[in-house]
DNA sequence: CTGAAAGCGCTTACAG
DNA sequence: CTGAAAGCGCTTACAG
């Protein structure tokens, strides 16, 4: 697409360090010294080399550099997330990126869509590229990678989820307190007089979704309320599906819920839209896990249990780079939860 | 963090192809053949090699592979965006990622925050990692990279923006029709009876923001309306800043606008919040560039000129891989615009 | 069908 | 302060 530079020795291929050395009339090693900013080089040589670099538009090849250096410096890390188009994950990515930048490190990211095969494939892809470390959202049970020792020598921080299964894992974890968050949401509704409280969320095969359901059940049990199985719904994939699902569900139901716990941002968006379309937004109380843009401007305002995606990403990044710097303490388990936000929808009484 | 595998020859370092060859009792080249799925290998050898690979948990090093292969296959591409936490850009990233996946290619992405120095730094970082191609949002005037021939041999697709300046560039472009979109928004408001129409947007030093302002001015000129400079505001950085800015601006203004064009998603969110907080949401008409989550559930619903981030990303990715496959037609300029969406806020009359 | 040698672009370890 | 040689982990080009 672009034109090659004015005639020089490197027609076609990119100039190499040897090309620079020849142009500058010095040895390969001297160029290497200049490129890496090593002190002990005669200023006049530095001049000549830099001139040659400028003239040839030489850009060093970090892949070649690291082939010999082996893993001495981190040049890129990997982030396996579920879907980068979900604002929760893109917020986390931004947080990781900020920490990586401080270490002159770039982030390779990819969406697994919760498919364990794809998750494993991506982890392998990252290993093949020799990322210095990985942040992984291990959603998708049955991952072979997570249980193998394939990732030895590569620090891993689990974010948002942990692998399911009985065995403990040796990795660091950064996530919100899914169980306590959901418990808090449900008991908030119960405290406002509700007993027919519904739970809408992702498949319970998902670590975070499972804990959130547990938290919901905790609150119901604490209040001695029997859970009506007809009020526990899972399986929507996006906001559009949840909208349709909620409308069908509410219209078929004999005894409607007076309050709903939405366990995730897309669930919340679909459900709130459904309630508005049915004209029930002032009748049925709703609380959502994850904050949503414009939530405060709805009528009623949407009460939520927020997460702090940017902060989660930063912490995961910091821990990862601590590991890369040699920190070898026992696995870190950072499980936090910002305060619940009341905006109206969660304070509707039955 | 993790334990090394049971005793084998590669204590400490990752196993190499040579380790596999020794374990399997074959030559280096035979392992290479098996790893790359070349046909002409005796089945029994394939067995032995695969067993050794399993045993050692060997993962090939693609960086070493490509050192010799040079740019024959694309293993990663770069995406320089403005802010991955902005849903517009994360949607685009998702679209690029989908196309890259079809080519077994990973995406390296990074946020420039619109800083030209950072933009140049990121482009250089990507070149150093020898990405096969790049999608770039060239926001930030004064980039040296974009005007140099530093990127020769590396296909580049510009997304959302193009470099500012008099000179033409030889790169492909995928973006929405900023000027026409904004013209449409303003003339929609004018058609509903407004003459005091305000424009709130990013700095005019930004390609897209500039065009959107032009489109606004086009519509005003077409309607023979003089633009009041007090009604053209730029400079907010995020929704929170825009909210404060709009409230201050509206309270200081003698003659308020009856309608507002918000040129970007964060501008829209901040402005709509400000109007709601001032109780003016039914008094002043608003239209926004970019669709926003929950926009349809507000009172009144938010009318927008949407973009299709996923689609933009996909097209940029497709064009990039066409170039990588050898397509050498003249630069592609894809400038599209989905239909305007009426939801109420843009149809308020003065 | 299999393998020994040279080379990709750089760094390390060593000698001057 | 400078450079020639060996090597990082793989592939290419060639010979058998």
């Amino acid at each position: 697409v672009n034109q090659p530079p004015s005639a020089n020795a490197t027609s076609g291929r990119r100039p190499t360090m040897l090309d620079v050395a020849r142009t500058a009339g010095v040895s390969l090693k001297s160029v290497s010294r200049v490129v890496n900013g090593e002190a002990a080089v005669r200023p006049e040589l530095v001049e000549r080399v830099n001139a040659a670099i400028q003239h040839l538009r030489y850009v060093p090849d970090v892949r070649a550099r690291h082939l010999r250096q082996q893993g001495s410096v981190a040049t890129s890390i990997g982030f396996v997330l579920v879907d980068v188009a979900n604002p929760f994950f893109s917020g986390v990515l931004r947080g990781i990126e900020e920490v990586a930048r401080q270490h002159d490190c770039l982030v390779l990211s990819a969406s697994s869509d919760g498919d364990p095969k794809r998750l494993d494939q991506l982890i392998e892809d990252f290993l093949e590229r020799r990322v210095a470390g990985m942040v992984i959202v291990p959603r998708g049970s049955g991952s072979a990678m997570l249980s193998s020792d394939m990732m030895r020598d590569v620090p891993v921080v689990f974010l948002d989820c942990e692998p399911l299964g009985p065995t403990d894992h040796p990795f660091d974890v950064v996530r919100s307190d899914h169980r306590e968050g959901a418990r808090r949401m449900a008991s908030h509704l119960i405290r406002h007089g509700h007993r027919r409280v519904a739970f809408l969320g992702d498949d319970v095969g998902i670590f975070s979704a499972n804990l959130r359901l547990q938290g919901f059940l905790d609150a119901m049990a604490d209040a001695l309320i029997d859970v009506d199985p007809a009020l526990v719904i899972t399986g929507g994939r996006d906001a559009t599906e949840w909208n349709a699902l909620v409308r069908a569900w509410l219209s078929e139901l004999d005894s409607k819920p007076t309050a709903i716990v939405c366990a995730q941002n897309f669930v919340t968006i679909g459900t709130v839209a459904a309630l508005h379309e049915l004209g029930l937004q002032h009748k049925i109380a709703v609380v959502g896990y994850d904050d949503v843009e414009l939530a405060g401007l709805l009528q009623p305002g949407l009460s939520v249990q927020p997460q702090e995606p940017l902060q989660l990403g930063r912490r995961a990044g910091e821990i990862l780079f601590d590991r890369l710097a040699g920190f070898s303490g026992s696995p870190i388990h950072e499980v936090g939860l910002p305060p619940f936000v009341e905006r109206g929808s969660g304070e509707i009484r039955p």
Side-chain angles (χ1 to χ4, degrees), chain A:
Chain A
V1 183
N2 219 348
Q3 296 304 314
S6 50
N8 60 43
T10 71
S11 60
R13 60 184 184 72
R14 292 195 82 88
T16 137
M17 204 171 248
L18 196 61
D19 295 319
V20 176
R22 282 175 185 146
T23 304
V26 299
S27 78
L28 187 63
K29 180 59 193 165
S30 289
V31 179
S32 172
R33 286 197 177 93
V34 173
V35 167
N36 291 292
E38 291 176 35
V41 186
R42 187 151 42 101
E44 184 224 320
L45 266 197
V46 176
E47 281 299 307
R48 286 225 308 274
V49 169
N50 278 327
I53 287 174
Q54 289 295 323
H55 177 244
L56 296 175
R57 308 235 180 279
Y58 168 72
V59 178
D61 185 332
V62 300
R63 301 171 309 172
R65 165 141 65 215
H66 287 277
L67 200 54
R68 191 67 168 86
Q69 283 186 336
Q70 290 298 71
S72 62
V73 276
T75 167
S76 61
I77 59 174
F79 179 30
V80 188
L81 41 79
V82 174
D83 174 18
V84 75
N86 181 328
F88 171 72
F89 293 113
S90 62
V92 172
L93 173 54
R94 175 74 208 213
I96 295 173
E97 193 195 305
E98 283 181 11
V99 177
R101 178 188 312 188
Q102 294 167 9
H103 296 265
D104 285 317
C105 187
L106 255 35
V107 182
L108 217 40
S109 67
S111 306
S112 73
D113 292 316
D115 173 0
K117 294 226 174 66
R118 174 120 191 91
L119 174 66
D120 277 354
Q121 178 65 57
L122 289 172
I123 292 173
E124 191 165 350
D125 288 345
F126 285 173
L127 289 176
E128 287 183 347
R129 269 146 247 247
R130 296 295 188 267
V131 294
M134 285 188 258
V135 178
I136 299 178
V137 183
R139 181 181 302 187
S141 44
S143 164
M145 277 294 174
L146 297 177
S147 48
S148 82
D149 58 0
M150 197 66 100
M151 300 188 293
R152 65 184 186 267
D153 306 326
V154 181
V156 168
V157 177
F158 286 137
L159 191 134
D160 187 52
C161 290
E162 300 178 41
L164 292 167
T167 51
D168 258 352
H169 61 78
F171 300 107
D172 299 315
V173 172
V174 177
R175 61 173 177 87
S176 80
D177 192 342
H178 305 298
R179 187 162 186 165
E180 170 59 14
R183 195 204 57 72
R184 202 186 269 179
M185 291 162 77
S187 65
H188 181 86
L189 294 170
I190 294 167
R191 213 175 313 119
H192 282 78
H194 298 277
R195 297 187 63 83
R196 284 196 62 73
V197 184
F199 179 90
L200 314 191
D202 278 329
D203 195 277
V204 292
I206 296 169
F207 179 87
S208 52
N210 197 312
L211 283 185
R212 291 177 193 178
L213 176 58
Q214 294 307 320
F216 167 79
L217 296 177
D218 289 347
M220 297 294 271
D222 279 354
L224 303 175
I225 304 174
D226 284 334
V227 173
D228 180 349
L231 298 189
V232 175
I233 308 287
T234 61
R237 296 185 190 194
D238 54 38
T240 312
E241 275 192 32
W242 274 106
N243 183 338
L245 213 147
V246 168
R247 280 188 296 172
W249 167 68
L250 283 179
S251 63
E252 285 166 12
L253 219 54
D254 293 329
S255 172
K256 298 193 183 4
T258 62
I260 301 177
V261 172
C262 296
Q264 189 247 70
N265 53 8
F266 291 160
V267 182
T268 307
I269 291 167
T271 301
V272 170
L275 291 179
H276 275 253
E277 288 164 24
L278 295 169
L280 294 171
Q281 72 271 30
H282 296 288
K283 297 263 173 68
I284 299 183
V286 178
V287 294
Y289 210 113
D290 289 321
D291 206 351
V292 182
E293 209 73 78
L294 297 182
L297 303 184
L298 296 180
Q299 295 286 359
L302 181 62
S303 298
V304 299
Q305 171 55 59
Q307 299 192 76
E308 290 174 321
L310 205 66
Q311 202 50 35
L312 290 172
R314 284 194 191 119
R315 284 302 300 145
E318 285 166 6
I319 292 171
L320 191 61
F321 280 97
D322 283 351
R323 292 290 180 193
L324 289 171
F327 171 68
S328 59
S330 52
I332 294 171
H333 224 80
E334 279 195 15
V335 178
L337 199 66
F340 186 83
V341 178
E342 300 191 9
R343 294 195 184 111
S345 72
E347 293 71 46
I348 294 174
R349 297 194 166 264

